[in-house]
Amino acid sequence: MRPKVIVGNWKLNPPRERGTQLFGEIVRGLAARAPLPRGVEVWILPPTPFLALLDPGVEVSLGVGSQDISLCGYGAHTGEIGGELLREFGCGLTLVGHSERRCGGEGDALVAEKAVAADRTGLIPLLCVGESEQERDAGETIAVVERQLAAVTGALSEERPLWVAYEPVWAIGTGRTATPGQVIEVHRALRDALDRGGRNGSATPILYGGSVKPDNAASLLGSDEIDGALVGGASLEANSFLAIVDAAEA
Ligand code: PGA
């Protein structure tokens, strides 16, 4: 069985003092649960300035990652933050293609380049895919996520690590969660597409994201097809985030 991966995406939250406190609460909560069973992995993706402040210590297994990556290496690239620098600040993975960035104009080709940049600099790319409500209503869900996936698998060598998060756009930050059945259907299609592309779909972690909360986490994470959760809003409260970690352990 694949291990469960719980990733907290803080987005542009919270203010400095609260973020430092929240991180401490999560570290203490994980320390109290250590060691996490069955290889449950927990990651936090804070806004970049926090990376310099947050020190998980040695006693908990908590990874930190980035919400985005620049294509640039060190150099005269004003405003960019590249993978080498993220690695130096302890990042082990980065999101690529989050829908909030796709809405800002990032297309499949740029997302694929970012996945390659992540891999080149030693970060695991966690590719976000997902359909809009309109696309779901039009019956295009599988075609959309397969297209988003194919852009990246066409650019990244088959043997390189790739994690995927299925995040239906209509479920992000809305309080509407996809049902386990809806998620499983998409995850299976993604695994088949990975297999067809020469990757091992059954060895690829595929997470679900979109209004994951303590009260729906167990039903989603109870499925062997759902390898974890990408959690936005509920990752901003230690108790709710840790309750989702507990649901992964169950
Ligand atoms: P949400 O966000 O849990 O607040 O819906 C998920 C995400 O955007 O990754």
Side-chain angles (χ1 to χ4, degrees), residues 9 11 98 100 167 171-174 209-213 230-234:
N9 174 14
K11 310 191 180 184
H98 191 281
E100 286 155 16
E167 294 211 306
I172 296 177
T174 59
S211 298
V212 177
K213 309 283 179 211
L230 179 53
V231 185

Side-chain angles (χ1 to χ4, degrees), residues 110-125:
L110 179 55
V111 171
E113 282 189 273
K114 288 189 171 190
V116 171
D119 178 61
R120 194 182 55 237
T121 52
L123 300 171
I124 300 166

